[in-house]
Amino acid sequence: MNIFKRTILAGVGFVATLTAMPAFAATELVLSSWLPPRHQLVEGAIKPWAKQVEEVTEGRVTIRVLAKPLGAPPAHYDMARDGVADITYGLHSFVNDGRFLRSRVGQFSFLGNDAVSVSKNFWTVYTEDLDAAAEHEGTHILGLFTHGPGALLSKDRHFKAASDFAGFKVRTPGGYPADLLKGMGATTLFMSSGEVYEKLTRGVIDGVCMPLDSLLAFKLEKHLTDVMTVSGGLYNTSWFLVMNQAKWDGISPEDQKAIMSVSGLAFSELVGKAWDEKDAEGFEATGKAGINVYPADGAVLDQLLSVAAPLEKAWVEEVSAQGFDAAGALAKMQTAKPSK
């Protein structure tokens, strides 16, 4: 066999070897982002995390954060599942067909007074005690988190008694916060955070359920007069950061491990720190804007506990029927619940 033929055969053998090996090429992932580009979740967590992913995978996996979303906020979970986007984030309560029942453990009142501890607790309880992966079928969970303690922000409304909620039109993100405020006597309207400014300034709503960061994030500080706080949070919201399962499966096991080293609990802490920082700035802004910040009156707190109790009980019963220790999971989350 001459040298030319040997070279050809060796080349064929090399190509065959490469063909038999799994292909994990450099991957660019597209992340659809629907919050304002300068919102703390995007600027303080999503983009820094994307940079971390590139670093820990040595450039083999990169993430492109879109300046404009590929769909409406409530569609973002399905967009990741169906491959419209590779990665998305959003609120579980935006998906109101019941598939995220167990995620509600991160929406109840009295979960804690900072986003870091509540977010990390939510990741642990939801993944370890309530099988979060099963509720996110079709995607791979990269992060689970909450915002800071939810408050009630209002214009020309100060709540001293339970009866003060009658006729109060309030924006909620759906889920438990909507059920809670409705039980308190308010009229609830679902809308994404991006719609709040217009609806508030036009008088469609009298107030919003949001954490304090929203005063600056959505330019509300000039259009509010009062903020009612509750120790441990009036409510909270549970969030996801997910990736299309097929896209995840196309990444090498080594890079998957590297990505998860900066995701999961680490991401909960990253986003929690970003939210806590902006909550502090929001609180400072209330003073500059002359907004009255006050703790919930005893009568209001008593009513809140009375309304929350049956909502918690119903959730515990429904989740227990699925074979989970729902009461135990809720107790782990409600670290700041007062006794009635």
Side-chain angles (χ1 to χ4, degrees), residues 76-83 85-86 88 99-100 132-142 240-246 248-249:
H76 269 61
Y77 178 80
D78 288 340
M79 285 165 48
R81 183 198 61 189
D82 298 338
D86 299 322
T88 65
R99 81 181 84 166
F100 296 120
E135 288 198 324
H136 295 74
E137 187 177 1
T139 69
H140 176 77
I141 303 174
L142 295 166
F240 58 80
L241 175 70
V242 295
M243 180 173 171
N244 175 268
Q245 187 66 56
W248 176 255
D249 293 340

Side-chain angles (χ1 to χ4, degrees), residues 139-178:
T139 69
H140 176 77
I141 303 174
L142 295 166
L144 296 166
F145 55 97
T146 72
H147 58 42
L152 189 59
L153 289 56
S154 60
K155 181 178 182 180
D156 301 323
R157 296 295 288 259
H158 186 97
F159 302 95
K160 294 182 178 180
S163 58
D164 293 338
F165 287 86
F168 177 60
K169 296 173 293 184
V170 58
R171 171 269 178 186
T172 75
Y176 169 78

